Amino acid sequence: MVKESKKTKYNSKESSLKKSLQHNMKLFSDIFIDDGTFKVRTIKNRFNKELKCCVIYFEGMIDNSFISATIIEPIMNCNFSDFESNKNLFELIQNEIIISTYIEITNDIQKIIEAITLGDTIVFLEGFSDCMVINTKGWKMRNITEPSTEKTLRGPKEGFTESLITNISLIRRKVRNPNLRFQFREVGSETNTRICMCYIEGIAPQKILDELNSRLDKIDINGVLDSEYIQEMITDNPLSPFETIGSSERPDVIVGKVLEGRVALLVDGTPFALTLPFLFMEYFQVNEDYYANFFFTSFNRLLRILSFFFSVSVPSLYVALVNYNQEMLPTPLLLGISSARESVPFPTIVEALAMLIIFEILREAGTRIPSDMGQAVSIVGALVLGQAAVEARIVSAPIVIVVGLTGIVALLNIKMKGVNIFLRFIFLFLASIMGLYGIVFGFIGVLIYTMGLSSFGVPYMLKVGTIKMENIKDTFIRSPWWYLNLNSYKVTVKTTLKGKKDRY
């Protein structure tokens, strides 16, 4: 979606509100021409036939009962002779007739267009060049439910929705702090999607805020339908398989990041919020780590870290040990693998590649088809295809076990799906030409590469490999709450950013 020059649907010189009601009605009817949802409702007062006004709105975006009860009925049935005659009619209707918590006076055409497309109602009055913008939003929204992608046994069961205002309220309920800030802006030349920067003033580093604003200013795109659009356009390394911007649809996760000094980015129309900077160790942190006993959660976190290494290295280890480093296998195991592969016509590397690709096909199929069929297809497909392939001597039984184990351990870090798949094939290629040496060189290369990454000026591998206890309290393990200092990340980041030049 490449941005083109935005074409206005009206002549800016001739498009201005006038005191003529007919002119103003025709102006917006021409702007929203051929739009069946655009509605114009004229209103006359029962006691004063000279009082004429109209309301314009989009059908389906407003609360019809609210408009009838608070705008149309009061204006139609109000006896203006009961009020002081010297009052301005426009101010009288605004302050004493219309019942609404939000009324704004404007004559800015662009502002009126934005308001009406967001679900507000516009009121024009004969003889006045200004109009009233009244909050009458009433479209249907999804209820607040537990996120299906981040389920938890203990902790809050609420998740973000597609409504930006609802998501902001979920954060405000958890952080009742006057320093909590929400800054709005719009992106997308055609969609004009509202986004919101959320942070706590005094905790979030100012340099990160400035850098984020700078990158958002450079976004040049027609439309934004999900936070991934923005994530891809403001990330430090768009071609890297490692994410340098986090995402979540849980308010408690976003609030936890904001309390640590990060900045959250909420996008209207999607339940996924972004957090930045994002560090490598955050891949292995889940919200339930902070709702359960620290002994148990530390063990689980170590399992996730171990599963990452298994998910990217188990197939390559199998290929390396079978083809190059057979002396490292126990003799009975080596004889068992050799007998299982005796009638298989393909090399080990071809076996591994074929089974990994088939596994990814089954995983993708289970994700895309309806949920009531997905699990059945994944399980039946894996069992049937795997058993049939072994009996037909197309692949050996050990490779089915290896690929199955790889897929299971990869589920422990579902957010690393893309990284796991990429590194898994890279390590498999290196193991096929250099054996165990290739795997070792692969891990060294990944370590060097990730050490050079950064997220908004913060080193991507911050606190990894440190020997200071202060910096590992919430990395490989989760220390007790009385040892955790929520400001430690803030202090570390500020120290890291001090004197660092902008590299974006």
Side-chain angles (χ1 to χ4, degrees), residues 2-39:
V2 181
K3 180 181 176 183
E4 300 175 356
S5 60
K6 185 175 181 180
K7 298 180 181 179
T8 59
K9 299 180 181 180
Y10 54 93
N11 190 322
S12 59
K13 294 183 179 179
E14 299 179 358
S15 298
S16 60
L17 295 184
K18 297 182 180 179
K19 294 183 179 182
S20 171
L21 182 62
Q22 291 298 325
H23 168 84
N24 296 335
M25 292 169 57
K26 185 179 184 303
L27 171 64
F28 284 92
S29 296
D30 291 341
I31 293 176
F32 298 107
I33 191 170
D34 296 331
D35 190 335
T37 62
F38 178 73
K39 302 297 179 182

Side-chain angles (χ1 to χ4, degrees), residues 266-447:
L266 310 177
V267 180
D268 195 16
T270 175
F272 287 91
L274 307 179
T275 58
L276 52 98
F278 180 80
L279 308 181
F280 178 74
M281 288 306 302
E282 293 183 59
Y283 275 128
F284 310 108
Q285 299 172 352
V286 297
N287 56 316
E288 202 166 359
D289 285 351
Y290 306 96
Y291 304 145
N293 182 270
F294 63 92
F295 283 116
F296 178 68
T297 56
S298 296
F299 175 73
N300 284 344
R301 187 174 293 182
L302 290 173
L303 281 182
R304 289 184 217 111
I305 297 174
L306 192 62
S307 71
F308 165 69
F309 291 100
F310 281 167
S311 65
V312 300
S313 63
V314 167
S316 56
L317 278 173
Y318 174 78
V319 171
L321 292 176
V322 170
N323 288 349
Y324 293 95
N325 306 95
Q326 300 174 355
E327 68 279 359
M328 299 188 67
L329 293 173
T331 301
L333 177 59
L334 180 60
L335 293 176
I337 294 175
S338 299
S339 61
R341 296 198 68 259
E342 185 175 359
S343 302
V344 176
F346 303 109
T348 309
I349 180 64
V350 176
E351 269 189 299
L353 282 174
M355 289 303 296
L356 286 174
I357 292 175
I358 291 174
F359 178 84
E360 294 302 327
I361 292 174
L362 290 173
R363 177 192 59 76
E364 187 68 14
T367 303
R368 301 303 167 196
I369 62 179
S371 57
D372 54 347
M373 299 172 56
Q375 187 175 7
V377 169
S378 299
I379 296 175
V380 174
L383 291 175
V384 172
L385 290 178
Q387 183 67 25
V390 172
E391 291 180 357
R393 299 294 183 179
I394 298 176
V395 297
S396 60
I399 195 64
V400 176
I401 299 174
V402 168
V403 173
L405 176 63
T406 302
I408 292 173
V409 296
L411 295 177
L412 269 69
N413 297 301
I414 194 66
K415 290 187 176 181
M416 300 189 73
K417 178 178 66 176
V419 176
N420 285 337
I421 295 174
F422 178 78
L423 294 182
R424 192 180 301 149
F425 285 102
I426 292 294
F427 285 179
L428 192 61
F429 171 75
L430 293 175
S432 67
I433 58 177
M434 289 186 287
L436 289 179
Y437 290 108
I439 299 176
V440 174
F441 291 152
F443 273 112
I444 294 175
V446 170
L447 182 62

